[in-house]
């Protein structure tokens, strides 16, 4: 089994070591593929704690064909999906810190499931050409579950914010 | 005042504080989990999981976060016994909160 390649050298920020992951690295971390890979890049990731990410919204995405044919709006639930995938990257980054030589299959298998969505608010519509600036801050753990406060912005405007609970084990 | 009177007052105060905590926890749980009941209808010995309040593991994480925010007390995986009932939760908080 090939180990997950390290893509970039870690940067040192005022909060400690942070990591960046481009989409090739993310594909080694998450089992998600087209049409459900909803994060293009992750940056300033403090493994297991918090991180930021980018998802570019393109007219070329399959869901725009139906949502809606004459009025392209990104579904809120897919904004949540992008945020949940950032949370997964932050998780897996922690796993890689602990066991850097682990195989890609094992790493992808450690991605958990979405357990709960609460207090999600969608403040603005998201359209083709927007760039989602994603942020996730992970909170307490209990019983194999973990809370994450998530926010998506386009420019300076918050477009979605709320709390997710994800499983941390399979 | 006699020692007996002071002791009785002390017990009364502690009992009141405990009652207030239990009430607060019940109100917050009902509110947060959207339960269709009222604090006075929740028994302190009622199981939180399964028969009783029918909480699940997702609810338990929400309670952990709530207790952390309200009382500054952290509940870890090793303390799962704290979720046996409202009484068990109050016992745990009283044992771990800073005086």
């Amino acid at each position: 089994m090939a180990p997950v390649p390290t893509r970039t050298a870690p940067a040192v920020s005022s909060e400690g070591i942070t990591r960046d992951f481009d989409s090739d690295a993310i594909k080694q971390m998450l089992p998600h593929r087209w049409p459900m890979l909803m994060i293009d890049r992750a940056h300033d990731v403090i493994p297991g704690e918090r991180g930021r990410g980018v998802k570019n919204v393109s007219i070329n995405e399959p869901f725009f064909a139906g949502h809606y044919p004459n009025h392209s709006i990104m579904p809120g639930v897919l904004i949540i999906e992008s945020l949940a995938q950032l949370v997964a990257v932050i998780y897996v980054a922690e796993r890689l810190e602990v066991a850097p030589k682990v195989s890609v299959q094992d790493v992808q298998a450690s991605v958990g499931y979405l357990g709960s969505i609460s207090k999600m608010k969608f403040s603005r519509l998201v359209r083709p050409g927007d760039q989602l600036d994603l942020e996730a801050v992970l909170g307490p753990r209990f019983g194999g579950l973990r809370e994450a406060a998530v926010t998506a912005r386009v420019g300076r405007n918050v477009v979605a914010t709320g709390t997710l609970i994800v499983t941390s084990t399979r | 005042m006699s020692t007996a009177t002071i002791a009785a007052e002390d017990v009364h105060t502690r009992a009141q504080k405990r009652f207030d905590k239990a009430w607060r926890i019940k109100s917050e749980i009902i509110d947060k989990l959207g339960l269709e009941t009222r604090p006075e209808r929740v028994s302190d010995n009622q199981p939180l999981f399964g028969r009783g309040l029918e909480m699940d593991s997702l609810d338990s994480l929400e309670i952990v976060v709530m207790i952390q925010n309200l009382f500054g007390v952290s509940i870890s995986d090793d303390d799962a016994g704290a979720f046996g009932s409202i009484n068990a939760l109050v016992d745990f908080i009283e044992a771990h909160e800073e005086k």
Side-chain angles (χ1 to χ4, degrees):
Chain A
M1 309 269 179
V4 179
T6 307
R7 284 282 157 172
T8 61
V12 181
S13 74
S14 56
E15 292 168 302
I17 302 252
T18 66
R19 298 201 177 271
D20 297 341
F21 302 97
D22 64 16
S23 63
D24 292 336
I26 289 173
K27 282 177 78 172
Q28 302 271 296
M29 296 163 80
L30 302 186
H32 306 69
R33 291 297 181 267
W34 186 89
M36 286 301 298
L37 184 50
M38 297 270 171
I39 175 167
D40 296 329
R41 188 175 292 164
H43 61 91
D44 298 307
V45 173
I46 299 180
E49 284 186 31
R50 62 196 306 144
R52 311 256 318 263
V54 172
K55 193 250 176 302
N56 292 299
V57 181
S58 165
I59 186 62
N60 212 32
E61 298 192 69
F63 53 81
F64 280 126
H67 195 280
Y68 304 93
N70 300 311
H71 184 43
S72 302
I73 304 289
M74 181 173 182
V77 290
L78 293 182
I79 301 175
I80 294 177
E81 180 61 27
S82 299
L83 291 164
Q85 290 182 14
L86 173 62
V87 172
V89 168
I90 296 169
Y91 251 120
V92 173
E94 184 179 39
R95 184 109 200 276
L96 293 178
E97 293 295 307
V98 167
K101 300 250 187 319
V102 69
S103 74
V104 171
Q105 279 87 341
D106 281 344
V107 156
Q108 292 180 348
S110 70
V111 172
Y113 302 113
L114 187 57
S116 156
I117 301 170
S118 55
K119 300 189 288 274
M120 276 313 295
K121 281 164 60 167
F122 300 99
S123 325
R124 295 173 95 98
L125 299 178
V126 174
R127 302 180 202 274
D130 287 343
Q131 182 177 76
L132 289 178
D133 173 9
L134 311 169
E135 183 173 6
V137 178
L138 272 51
R141 293 170 219 256
F142 190 79
L145 301 171
R146 190 116 188 243
E147 207 176 74
V150 294
T151 304
R153 293 180 181 82
V154 172
R156 284 196 314 228
N157 297 316
V158 171
V159 298
T161 186
T163 305
L164 308 179
I165 295 181
V166 295
T167 66
S168 57
T169 52
R170 286 239 164 134
Chain B
M1 278 194 282
S2 73
T3 316
T5 317
I6 294 170
E9 279 185 12
D10 182 46
V11 166
H12 179 77
T13 309
R14 289 199 352 234
Q16 184 65 48
K17 277 197 185 147
R18 198 186 156 89
F19 178 85
D20 291 341
K21 264 197 195 72
W23 188 269
R24 183 94 188 271
I25 291 172
K26 285 189 248 190
S27 305
E28 294 281 343
I29 287 181
I30 287 168
D31 184 50
K32 210 163 204 333
L33 304 186
L35 303 177
E36 304 261 323
T37 182
R38 303 169 55 77
E40 55 266 28
R41 303 242 284 269
V42 178
S43 140
D44 287 1
N45 286 321
Q46 193 167 10
L48 295 179
F49 294 100
R51 263 185 322 202
L53 286 178
E54 309 221 350
M55 282 178 28
D56 63 24
S57 56
L58 291 164
D59 297 326
S60 60
L61 177 59
E62 301 250 27
I63 305 294
V64 167
V65 172
M66 177 184 100
I67 300 292
Q68 172 73 47
N69 291 338
L70 282 183
F71 301 103
V73 169
S74 300
I75 306 181
S76 78
D77 279 313
D78 299 326
D79 306 317
F83 285 105
S85 64
I86 298 287
N87 262 335
L89 209 44
V90 175
D91 285 343
F92 185 87
I93 292 167
E94 291 197 326
H96 290 83
E97 69 182 340
E98 300 203 346
K99 302 290 171 205

